[in-house]
Amino acid sequence: MPDAVLQARSPLHGLARSGHHGRAGPAGLTIVERTDIAFASVIARRGQRDALASAVRASFGLALPDGPRRVGKDGVAFAGIGPGQWIASGENAGDLAASLRERIGAFAAVADQSDSRLVLHLSGARVRDALVKGVPIDLHPRAFKTGDVASTLVAHVGVQIDMLDDAPVFQLTAPRSMAGSFWSWLTASAAEFGYDVATK
Amino acid sequence: MKYSAFALFREALRGHSGWTPAWRKAVPKPHYDVVIIGGGGHGLATAYYLATEHGITNVAVLEKSYIGSGNAGRNTTIIRSNYLLPGNEAFYEWSMKLWEGLEQSFNYNAMVSQRGVLNLYHSDAQRDAFARRGNGMRLHGVDAELLDREQVRRMAPFLDYDNARFPIHGGLLQRRGGTARHDAVVWGYARGADSRGVDIIENCEVTGLDVVNGRVMGIETTRGTIQADKVGMAVAGNTSRVAALAGLRLPIESHVLQAFVSEGIKPAIDCVVTFGAGHFYISQSDKGGLVFGGDIDGYNSYAWRGNLPVVEDVLEEGMAIWPGLGRIRMLRSWGGLMDMSMDGSPIIDRTPVTGLYLNAGWCYGGFKATPASGWCFAHLIARDEPHTVAAALRLGRFASGAVIDEKGAGAQPNLH
Amino acid sequence: MRIPCPYCGPRGNEEFSYLGDASVRRPDPAIADATQAFHDYVYLRDNPSGGHSELWYHGGGCRRWLVVTRNTRTHEIGAATFADAGGEP
Amino acid sequence: MSAPFRLASGGLIDRGKPLSFSFDGKTYNGFAGDTLASALIANGVKLVSRSFKYHRPRGILTAGSEEPNALVELRSGARREPNTRATVTELYDGLVAASQNRWPSLALDVSGINDLLSPFLAAGFYYKTFMWPAKFWEALYEPLIRRAAGLGRVAGAEDPDTYEKAFAHCDVLVIGAGPAGLMAALAAGRAGARVILADEDFRLGGRLLAERHEIDGRPGAAWAAGIEAELSAMPEVRIMHRTTVLGVYDHGQYSAVERVNDHVATPPIHEPRQRSWKIVAKRAVLAAGALERPIAFGNNDRPGVMLAGAARAYINRYAATPGKRLAVFTNNDDGWRTAADARTAGIEVVAVVDSRAAKSELSKLGFSTMSNSRVSHVDGKQGVRAIDVVGANGRATRIECDALAVSGGWNPAVHLTCHLGGKPVWNDEIAAFVPGTRPPAMYAAGATNGAFTLSRCLTGGIAAGAMAAGDCGFDFTPITQPRADDEPAAVTPLWHVKESRAKAFVDFQNDVTAKDIALAHQEGFGSVEHLKRYTTLGMATDQGKTANVTGLAILAEASGRAIPQVGTTTYRPPYVPVSFGAMAGHHRGRDFRPIRLPPSHAWATEQGAVFMETGAWLRAQYYPRAGETDWLQSVNREVAATRASVGVCDVSTFGKVAFEGPDAAAFLDRVCANTLSTLPVGKARYALMLREDGFVQDDGTVARLGPEYFVMTSTTANAPRMMQHLEFCHQVLWPALDVGMVSVSEQWAQFAVAGPRSRDVLCKLIDADIANAAFPYLGAREVSFGGVSARLFRLSFSGELAYELAVPARYGDAVIRAIMAAGAEFAITPYGIEALGVMRTEKGHVAGQEMNGQLTARDLGLGRMMSTRKDYIGRVMAQRPALLDPERPAFVGLRPVERSARLRAGAHFIPVGAAATIENDEGYMTSVAFSPTFGHWIGLGVLKRGPERIGQRVRAYDPVRNGDVEVEVCSPHFFDPEGARLHA
């Protein structure tokens, strides 16, 4: 093919403007769109869950979680999204799906999902106050801790929420095709507290 | 006493001392020719037409609570005959014809108001689907008009034409459709049936059906045993429970449908409007309250209460078509038990038990059907053969495949 | 309602889709009266007032089909289990 | 000028913050801390509204959200808010309010004539007349009735304010922040529970704010402020002011509305007007207090007649007095406190009328007391001039006064205990209903629970809070009970003063009188529900909060039964009316539901595409070019260009599901009507799916990319439901099958490149041999596209040589641009879904219009796809007799006999020359298109015995669009029936 390498576009292309938005003053939360994280769905073969778990332990040094939790190491993480089902992610991991297929493909169905979702990292003192305007699950520190994962409906959009650390930092992923509507809800909800948008 | 402006005038001058009960508080007799289980609109209409059309007056209507305590008194009062499929359309049009002469017939003002029912469409494909329905209505001799966006705007300028998620492309209008005062329909039929000798027995719950050699002999009730030659069931959401007393299993699930009313406001909407990109319908009562509703709660239930997600959906859909409602308040919501059938269409038929007749499967469309349902059920019970306009509404259609599936949703009640 | 998803925890019913009675079983099409059996399977329901075991799909969460035992009169929920035993036969 | 009825001192108002407001165009002054009602009272405004039916002059009856009378239109223009309760409207500077339901003015409302006509307007009068002649109802009677009815007016424009929804979770939800609620929250909070304390008011304290009670030797309001301070300091306690809990739902869900900015003229930027909350609580404590009830006597609705507890609220909390010469009418001890507080505030108390024989110990207070007496009549129209009191001897005495405080006793606010079906039970000691079976996990405390004295409220609150926290696993740390009195609260019911001559109102807003209730009973509407429905008792905006129990009691008297025998009252959500805006929140206008955009959307926008909603998606409908005046021109050009050379269309919206595993092929055989296990690797095949009831559900293509790896597409509209269906088949029907299934719809951008030159275009972009021999029709393979791994399918919806190219979605935008660049030399043309539809119609492919859920595979000419060698979903039920009936309408093509005629989908087929009746209905047109290829309209449809009638003519009858076109029946495959082009 004659052309130069293809230009990738983020789901928020043309929607998110870097800088401060909403109420003036110190930002209540910071929103970062991440386009450098690869994702792949991992579904255990019938009866192969344990074999898969040991393969994951061998290849990545990670104990595959049984419930809606995530484990990570060296930028690679596995988040439980259903019984026998995980979303693997890797920062700057290149073709994550291919390497997963190679290492654990014998025990699981693997599908690349790197392009399927809008990925946001949210942090800041008021992040929970903004999220409660659409997130139906309890994000109180007693109820949702670092490493917890939840798949739920937020403002009519299917969203996966991972709590990355106690700062707190939340990772929200939403279907790529709904990025615009999801962004409309998120920014409307955050405006009251003032928010900064950054891209990485 | 006949109701009239004169009677009202006379009574006003003597402190209303002359008014008598609208219907007797009857006590059960040991035997009736026909017993109707269910003192809702359908049951009372059946008794009324048994008396007026078939001369059968040794009839009892059994109601476990007070008459009209079920869906007859918990609906959004819409009447229409704008159905797609022949099996339904002839029936609902017969119902509309009966509505048109009802009040003079039973001498009660049920406030039948033919203010028009407007179904909005939001895409070309939906327009063509509505055209198919409207053309079918016209083939039945029923009025139907397909309006474009501007015609709809002239009828209902307050709808959202400029900023809608699902823009309004036009609408299918049945001018003869409209609303009626639900309680008045119940009381009118009750009063009409009572005055012709029908016993209306309230606070009388059916606890058993005496079936001997495949034939129904009588009924066990909380007020004693009643013998009956023929028994008709018109119990909506409780159909499966009553049918089970005769060992019957039916293509029906019971689901909750909520209805809503707003605070009273000055006249704001002159017809019934339905939203085509969701499930929402709204009109305004003569008292001024906006009467509206949406989809069923979506799961089997015998609890007379609605859930919160549907309340939110319904009010979101209201705002979606009528943005000016933002500061109007929802006053009250309530839930009724719908007898959702497997194809979304009703059943008026015999049962495998001789002498036991079934009137069910009204889904959330029972109110508009009240007159024709009573008319056809009375015909079936009196003549033991289905009325022509209800000929397709038979139990056997599920086995034969001749289902009447308006929505094309398949055998899943909560999708109809 | 709040449905206790065995994977996700209690969630509002708006995250779920409902498919009715879980006690009916798809018949073997090879049997003699398969047509009657399929008719009953597809169309006939007990529709009880009281205990009911029913199918819910957690499409807004873990995408698992659940068998939920629920009282249709009180909406009280007894148990919720994976229809396929968690994909672990 | 200072307000004439404002007390010189006292109250919880901030006299340092004067506020100006207007009512019916006249300007008044009030203070911060006032409500609109208290400010009107302070300014001596007694007449504030007109009643619903008789248009009687009305004043302010209560001091809370139960107010039936004082409803106003608040604000103006697009913010006009009808039926707003003045009693809970916080005063703000510049507030504008107007009375409603009157003309020309509040003082002289011509509809006041209804009051004189009232003998003719008795309960249910409209059911008995207006029936003749029939057509007059819509033409005359109803418009008149509708115009007279209704209250305020809806705003004419979209609400400019914004709204939000929000979720909250807690261990203990405390509803109401009076003495019981404060104690409950404190007890639960100290135990360490996560507590939410919600109260309607803008200030915590409940009745304490309205009374002169002392707790621990401090004024009640000050004590409450102290508790609030302690609660605010607890990290796990959240206090929600201005928040009304509206409803109780299954499994511990509560709905509430927070009036975030109703107390300011307009909300600050970025802030909503209101916020609707969904609260999930493990336990709840209902401490909603009690509502005072009126007594029915002649003209008890006159402005200046007020509930005794409300009078205390205005005097004690707002330093506003309802009158200068106050009389009190009570059937209980509590009413006396109004006299006492009024005197303390320096207001002359002309008489205390107590219906009870036994002298209350309170009569020692030294008021001019008339015991064993009843107020039978109020003199005055737009205000109180005097009252007639009937004593034990039956003789009436007239007493001059300008205000009357009435106490008929108190009804516990049991409403929320009823929302899940609970029925309140009658309690003789307090002559009121108390909570019966409560919702699971809900406790009731304080007056709501029938505890009518302060110290009992405090005790009950502590106990409930402790139990609720304990249930959630928190150890209770004992709280010393604050000191407070057990003030006298005895009551002897009096519902209706028989000696009344004038109307004695029970439901004030709906003008339901004691007489109406008697009449309803006389006419047989003796069940509580019939009474409500027949008289409209309790159906007004206040939901009968001040009327239901009294109405029930009067019905009991009329029918000679005891109240519990007559029945009980039940309540449904919402506790107070809630705005559409609050419940809709963010989801209005374009945000009503999410919009899905395909990867080429930005590019298509640059091209000036016209978009249309298809399900959740917004797709390019067509791409108009300069000079094209209507859509058909553009679509014709797009079709012609594609058939002549090459076109490109974004088809990313199809559902895409990946199947992987040893049983993938077997699984697909069971969900599809046709066989897919025989599909070779590297090949794709059309797939048809039925519902279990035998009707067509969806279609798509299945490509086998590896021995155990398949990708299936489903139609755009059905994609979500198909995913659910496939998961059902796998998890519920055949869980043993070893196949992993996942949606990859969002992962892949997919473009159809169609037309004779499509191969030439793709050859420039793909490093792979896609010549016909190497990559024939229905081929499927992975390719590299500019270094990106992509998938190429040789599929054709258009009937042309065509491909579908799938690339990771992030490159979708770049790829459409690359395709357009590479295709430039072939004059490649982007086409939208209109042209797509035209080409598939020319080709005779079925689509959504045909798969309407009412047609079978046979109906659609796809019967041959139904395998006879295997079981699959729908196989058995598809064999039912009615579905095999040869008379069923079946799939055909149609073309107008008069070639210039236009066809329209939705037209019905009737035989030529036959009457347009349903008996002659032979089917309908499912799809139409103008075919630039043939130069005339073509159609697809289902026609009775259609396939046997090729060449015959029928009428396409379309009366709703004045269409009646004679059409010729033909094969649905108009274009290239042999498929020479797609194999090229």
Side-chain angles (χ1 to χ4, degrees), chain A residues 1-2 7 9 23 45-46 110 113-115 132-133 136 138 140 142 156 176-177 181 184 192, chain D residues 164-165 167 169 192 194 236 271 275 591 593 595-597 735 738 743 746-747 764 767 808 810:
Chain A
M1 144 153 192
Q7 190 68 45
R9 270 206 180 181
R23 169 164 298 163
R45 286 280 165 75
R46 281 287 188 261
V110 175
Q113 300 285 5
S114 304
D115 294 52
V132 295
K133 298 179 184 183
D138 188 0
H140 187 279
R142 287 186 189 175
H156 300 296
R176 181 186 191 96
S177 68
S181 292
S184 166
E192 179 184 1
Chain D
E164 286 177 355
K165 303 188 187 203
F167 296 84
H169 304 258
R194 290 169 61 191
E236 297 306 338
E271 282 191 34
R275 189 178 285 135
D591 285 307
R593 290 291 179 266
I595 301 176
R596 302 185 71 179
L597 299 176
D738 184 3
S743 167
E746 295 278 346
Q747 169 67 17
K764 296 173 64 180
D767 316 310
R810 77 182 61 187

Side-chain angles (χ1 to χ4, degrees), chain D residues 578-755:
Chain D
V578 58
S579 69
F580 272 78
M583 294 306 281
H586 175 72
H587 300 294
R588 52 194 274 205
R590 300 283 290 168
D591 285 307
F592 166 57
R593 290 291 179 266
I595 301 176
R596 302 185 71 179
L597 299 176
S600 68
H601 183 78
W603 171 83
T605 308
E606 294 167 23
Q607 306 306 305
V610 172
F611 296 97
M612 76 181 269
E613 289 75 14
T614 53
W617 293 89
L618 203 58
R619 298 183 72 182
Q621 187 176 11
Y622 56 96
Y623 295 82
R625 291 228 178 123
E628 291 173 344
T629 54
D630 83 347
W631 66 276
L632 196 51
Q633 285 179 16
S634 310
V635 174
N636 289 343
R637 172 184 45 76
E638 291 169 17
V639 172
T642 302
R643 295 225 184 273
S645 178
V646 58
V648 60
C649 178
D650 190 330
V651 294
S652 308
T653 60
F654 291 154
K656 310 177 205 74
V657 188
F659 299 87
E660 193 176 344
D663 296 330
F667 179 78
L668 288 168
D669 274 353
R670 296 190 195 184
V671 296
C672 298
N674 54 321
T675 304
L676 290 143
S677 50
T678 55
L679 187 65
V681 173
K683 281 295 206 177
R685 183 176 290 170
Y686 179 74
L688 180 68
M689 284 142 282
L690 309 185
R691 293 191 310 235
E692 194 65 276
D693 68 355
F695 291 82
V696 171
Q697 178 168 32
D698 199 22
D699 71 349
T701 57
V702 171
R704 190 170 205 165
L705 298 174
E708 298 184 357
Y709 188 62
F710 297 78
V711 177
M712 170 193 272
T713 65
S714 57
T715 56
T716 301
N718 290 335
R721 277 200 61 201
M722 283 310 296
M723 193 64 212
Q724 174 179 336
H725 171 69
L726 292 166
E727 296 278 20
F728 168 80
C729 294
H730 184 213
Q731 297 175 37
V732 180
L733 297 184
W734 304 300
L737 292 185
D738 184 3
V739 53
M741 164 185 346
V742 64
S743 167
V744 290
S745 299
E746 295 278 346
Q747 169 67 17
W748 296 95
Q750 200 148 320
F751 299 97
V753 184

